[in-house]
Amino acid sequence: VTLFRNGVESAAGTAAAVLGDPRRAYDWLAGGVDLKPGQFVATGAITRAARFAVGDEIVADFGARGRVRIVRTEVMPADGE
């Protein structure tokens, strides 16, 4: 995946960044627990976290699998504020 912030590449990585293979990460996280249909496991991040501000456009390009685009529109207050 390649991340772009306002059209400028900000990070890139492959699934191998997650303990060498996302399946290895799952094995380590689950410790033998079987997944049931519909359950989801996040095995780790492919790239570093990216900061972005209100108005920024972030695009995650997954090559032949497609792209995801978001635009931050507001700042949400933290809990208790």
Side-chain angles (χ1 to χ4, degrees):
V1 65
T2 304
L3 293 180
F4 296 89
R5 177 176 174 229
N6 300 323
V8 177
E9 184 177 326
S10 63
T14 68
V18 184
L19 289 179
D21 184 311
R23 291 171 295 211
R24 285 186 58 209
Y26 168 75
D27 289 343
W28 178 80
L29 286 168
V33 174
D34 290 326
L35 281 179
K36 294 181 179 36
Q39 288 182 314
F40 173 80
V41 174
T43 58
I46 293 174
T47 68
R48 63 177 172 74
R51 291 183 167 259
F52 56 102
V54 173
D56 283 351
E57 175 190 70
I58 305 296
V59 174
D61 187 338
F62 294 89
R65 291 194 166 102
R67 290 189 222 164
V68 175
R69 176 185 170 268
I70 63 168
V71 176
R72 186 168 181 186
T73 59
E74 64 182 286
V75 175
M76 301 295 293
D79 288 345
E81 289 186 26

